Amino acid sequence: MSIEEVDLPERFGEPPERVAGAVRTLLGLGLLQKHDSSPGTLTVVSPDSAELNIVGPVTRRVAEMQGAVDQIRIELSGLADLYRKGIIHRLRQEGVETISNLADVRARLEELAAGVKREVLTSQPGGARPEEVLGEAMVRTEAALARGVVMRTIYQHTAQFSQATLAFVEQMTAMGAEIRTIGDAFSRLIVFDREVAFIELWDAPQGAALVRDPSVVHFMVESFERAWVQASAFPLAVGRREAIAVSDAVKSDIIRMMIAGEDDKAIARRMGMSVRTCQRHINEIMTRIGARNRVQAGYLLRTLDLSGANGPFRAED
C-alpha cells in the first residue's frame, strides 16, 4: 500500500511537524519506504519484512563477530599453553644455574660459604687434592667452622697418602670438622644448609651446576648420607697399621671392580689414582691369589670370596 506523504497530516489530523517525526521513525524501522522515482510517495512495509531487512544484517554481523571471538579464544588458548611452558622452563632454569667459568664458580662458592648458617656437606673424589685448592678451601672452611657450622667431608682412601691433604684434615678436624674416606668413586658435591648444592658439569669439569630445586637437593643429601655411613674415619696419622688398612681396603675395592669387568683405566679413575698405581695394586692382587694373568685372576676372584671382610685384603689385628 502506497500513500502520499503530503496527505498524512490531513488524513490523521495531526500537525505536520509531528507527522514528519513519525515518518522519520517509521522509515528508520523499515516500516515505510520511499520510492526512488517518486520521493513523496511512501510504501507501507509489513513488520515481518521490516524485521527481516533490519535484523538480518545485524544477525549476520553478530555471527561474524562471534566467529571472530571464537578465533581469538583459540589463538589465546595456544598462547596460554606457550606461556605455561615458558613458566615451567623458567622455573627449571632458576632451579639449576649453569656456571661454566672456574672464576665464577669460586666466586659463588665464596658467597655461599660466607652465608652458610648450619651445615656444609662435601664429597671430594679423586684422591689427593692440589695444595692450591686446599688453601682456598681452608679459608672458607675456617670461617664457617668458627661460626659453629657443622661440616662433614668424604674423601677417597687414596687421599690419606697425600701430606697436603693430611695436614688440611688435621687442621679442620681440630676445629670440629668430620672427615671420612671411602674407596669407590662418588660424585663431587658441596651442599650448603641442605638448600643449595654444587655439582660438576659433566661436559665441563671446570664448571659447575648450582642446584636449588628442593627435591634434587634432598636426593643429593640422601646420597651423601648413604656414602657417609659406609665411609670410615680419616686417620690423623698414617702409620704402618693405617697404611696396611688403607692399602687392603683399596685392594678390596679394586677386586670388586675387577670382578665387574672394569679395565685398568676405569678402575684407576674410580679409585682416584694413577693407572700405574692401579696396575701395581692389581699385580699385587694377582700375586697374592696366584694368578698368572688377568683372565685367571678374574676366574679366581669370581670363585673365591676375596673382597669381603673375611678376605685376605684387610689389616691384621
Side-chain angles (χ1 to χ4, degrees), residues 240-286:
R240 181 177 182 276
R241 179 179 295 274
E242 289 79 14
I244 292 174
V246 173
S247 180
D248 287 350
V250 168
K251 286 182 174 61
S252 293
D253 290 325
I254 290 175
I255 286 173
R256 283 193 289 271
M257 283 179 271
M258 289 175 67
I259 292 174
E262 299 279 6
D263 61 25
D264 294 359
K265 290 183 179 179
I267 295 173
R269 183 174 61 254
R270 291 180 58 178
M271 293 299 298
M273 61 179 63
S274 68
V275 175
R276 184 175 180 179
T277 300
C278 179
Q279 290 172 340
R280 178 173 58 79
H281 283 293
I282 291 173
N283 289 334
E284 290 176 3
I285 292 169
M286 292 172 60

Side-chain angles (χ1 to χ4, degrees), residues 6-48:
V6 295
D7 296 335
L8 292 177
E10 181 179 352
R11 182 172 182 176
F12 292 103
E14 295 289 342
E17 295 81 5
R18 188 173 181 181
V19 171
V23 168
R24 287 193 297 272
T25 300
L26 294 173
L27 287 170
L29 293 173
L31 295 172
L32 289 177
Q33 289 184 347
K34 290 186 176 183
H35 287 264
D36 294 336
S37 59
S38 178
T41 302
L42 300 174
T43 299
V44 179
V45 179
S46 70
D48 291 338

Side-chain angles (χ1 to χ4, degrees), residues 72-236:
I72 290 173
R73 284 176 175 167
I74 292 172
E75 293 176 357
L76 289 178
S77 177
L79 293 174
D81 289 339
L82 291 175
Y83 176 79
R84 284 190 290 270
K85 291 178 181 178
I87 289 292
I88 293 172
H89 177 73
R90 179 172 61 82
L91 291 175
R92 287 177 177 172
Q93 288 296 100
E94 291 178 352
V96 180
E97 177 185 352
T98 299
I99 309 172
S100 57
N101 183 277
L102 180 59
D104 292 337
V105 172
R106 288 174 173 170
R108 296 305 296 275
L109 281 173
E110 295 286 348
E111 174 188 344
L112 290 168
V116 66
K117 297 179 177 63
R118 301 180 303 277
E119 180 186 58
V120 178
L121 306 177
T122 306
S123 59
Q124 296 288 354
R129 302 179 68 196
E131 292 189 30
E132 177 187 355
V133 174
L134 290 173
E136 293 178 1
M138 180 81 73
V139 177
R140 293 194 300 266
T141 305
E142 283 182 330
L145 288 171
R147 298 197 307 272
V149 174
V150 174
M151 303 195 72
R152 288 186 288 157
T153 299
I154 299 175
Y155 287 111
Q156 286 188 273
H157 289 324
T158 49
Q160 298 180 32
F161 297 105
S162 165
Q163 289 301 316
T165 304
L166 180 59
F168 174 82
V169 170
E170 287 178 341
Q171 185 169 349
M172 293 302 98
T173 302
M175 295 184 65
E178 295 182 72
I179 302 175
R180 296 183 179 182
T181 66
I182 197 169
D184 201 353
F186 46 87
S187 299
R188 193 177 305 279
L189 172 71
I190 304 177
V191 184
F192 295 94
D193 287 334
R194 304 196 174 206
E195 294 177 354
V196 58
F198 274 88
I199 58 175
E200 283 184 329
L201 293 178
W202 69 272
D203 58 346
Q206 295 297 311
L210 195 159
V211 182
R212 297 183 184 275
D213 185 278
S215 297
V216 178
V217 173
H218 175 75
F219 176 82
M220 293 175 179
V221 171
E222 289 297 306
S223 298
F224 177 91
E225 295 292 358
R226 284 192 291 272
W228 181 260
V229 171
Q230 299 174 32
S232 55
F234 196 119
L236 298 183

Side-chain angles (χ1 to χ4, degrees), residues 288-307:
R288 194 174 299 190
I289 64 176
R292 293 187 298 273
N293 51 56
R294 284 293 295 269
V295 175
Q296 186 182 18
Y299 171 78
L300 291 174
L301 292 173
R302 286 180 175 87
T303 303
L304 304 173
D305 179 18
L306 298 180
S307 60

